[in-house]
Amino acid sequence: MEVTSPFDRLSDYVATPRLASLALSPDGERLVATVQTLDEKRSGYVTSLWELDQSGVAAPVRLTYGASSESLAGFTAAGDVLFSAKRGDDAMTYLLPRAGGEARAVI
């Protein structure tokens, strides 16, 4: 049985999700990553936000599901996630509450 890896074919390598950035909340309790994946047409990348368990025990949790890319803007003092995203024709900043729930536009 031949072992393959994403490095064997260029198309597989290009399709491998990429870690674009990491951000740690001010209290040091939340670690959020921006992850790039190929879009449906396989012609560009879409970025989403994921929360990572710093202990490495729990699986990563996807925080955003937009049709276009989101970019992490940072955290509030309370640990809420601020991110920018384009929804329709408008680019706005959104707040995702630390306790969970829906993101809401703030700007």
Side-chain angles (χ1 to χ4, degrees), residues 64 66 68-71 83-88 90-94:
T64 60
S68 63
S69 294
E70 292 93 10
S71 60
F83 66 96
S84 298
K86 187 173 182 182
R87 303 287 190 257
D90 298 323
M92 300 183 71
T93 299
Y94 293 85

Side-chain angles (χ1 to χ4, degrees), residues 22-81:
L22 290 170
L24 187 63
S25 65
D27 63 7
E29 293 193 12
R30 295 185 78 190
L31 181 61
V32 175
T34 55
V35 177
Q36 297 175 328
T37 54
L38 273 181
D39 63 13
E40 290 182 10
K41 295 180 182 178
R42 299 180 64 87
S43 61
Y45 290 94
V46 176
T47 304
S48 56
L49 304 181
W50 292 72
E51 186 160 355
L52 307 176
D53 175 25
Q54 295 181 59
S55 68
V57 175
V61 175
R62 188 168 180 172
L63 300 175
T64 60
Y65 291 88
S68 63
S69 294
E70 292 93 10
S71 60
L72 183 63
F75 292 90
T76 65
D80 302 325
V81 175

